[in-house]
Amino acid sequence: MKFIDLDTLIEQIADMSVKEIFKIQGEPIFRQMEAEALQSCYELQNTLIACGGGTPCFGNNLEMMQQAGICVYIHLPVTALAKRLKQKSSIESRPLLSQEDAGPEEQLEKLYEARKHWYQQIPIVVSPLEESKAAMVQKIKDALSSAKL
């Protein structure tokens, strides 16, 4: 399978980082660019597309994603996400987590609460802290083999 990271695609198209897009043009423009980048991937075959946590929560992105292929929600508790972000020193590169009015874990919790309605609409959920890699892969394989794309 081919692999596309949606944020990387957006950065290539915009010729600036996601952080710069948020800072200079704002979140609404980023979300528009994100929807356009997602649309450009709509007809791709045998391609895994990694999207950010906000992608399914705006416009008709989730509907488009579900029509185009299999959606998998990788569920991690907020505490585990915060720990991973701190270890990778990647909080600074995430505009919605680098706000000064709250810490990263608090920001993640707010984002999760605001987004969980969309996440709950994704039928395939894998939980890396609760399932083995083999079990997660098998769940995805089962979904792919039963899909009518």
Side-chain angles (χ1 to χ4, degrees):
M1 293 185 91
K2 293 179 276 184
F3 175 78
I4 295 174
D5 181 289
L6 201 59
D7 282 350
T8 301
L9 179 60
I10 294 165
E11 290 177 339
Q12 290 169 349
I13 292 167
D15 197 27
M16 65 176 76
S17 71
V18 169
K19 185 177 180 177
E20 290 172 316
I21 296 168
F22 266 78
K23 185 177 180 180
I24 297 167
Q25 299 179 334
E27 185 177 8
I29 298 298
F30 171 78
R31 296 299 174 193
Q32 180 182 345
M33 295 170 80
E34 180 179 57
E36 290 168 1
L38 186 62
Q39 179 68 41
S40 75
C41 298
Y42 187 79
E43 306 234 355
L44 297 176
Q45 300 291 313
N46 297 314
T47 304
L48 174 66
I49 301 169
C51 65
T55 305
C57 308
F58 293 89
N60 68 337
N61 289 350
L62 181 58
E63 181 182 341
M64 183 180 0
M65 292 162 63
Q66 290 175 326
Q67 288 175 356
I70 302 295
C71 296
V72 178
Y73 169 39
I74 303 172
H75 178 266
L76 282 169
V78 169
T79 53
L81 285 172
K83 184 178 178 182
R84 284 183 179 194
L85 289 171
K86 287 176 190 174
Q87 288 173 343
K88 293 182 178 181
S89 300
S90 60
I91 289 174
E92 306 81 38
S93 67
R94 298 178 182 267
L96 296 179
L97 298 181
S98 57
Q99 299 173 14
E100 296 178 17
D101 60 339
E105 196 165 327
E106 219 178 314
Q107 292 285 346
L108 281 169
E109 187 64 45
K110 287 178 185 177
L111 284 172
Y112 174 75
E113 286 302 315
R115 295 172 173 178
K116 71 180 179 182
H117 165 76
W118 288 277
Y119 296 163
Q120 291 169 344
Q121 295 178 52
I122 301 171
I124 303 162
V125 180
V126 295
S127 301
L129 297 183
E130 298 172 11
E131 301 175 88
S132 69
K133 285 182 184 179
M136 291 185 292
V137 168
Q138 189 60 51
K139 191 183 286 188
I140 294 167
K141 281 183 175 180
D142 291 347
L144 285 170
S145 67
S146 65
K148 294 180 170 104
L149 301 176

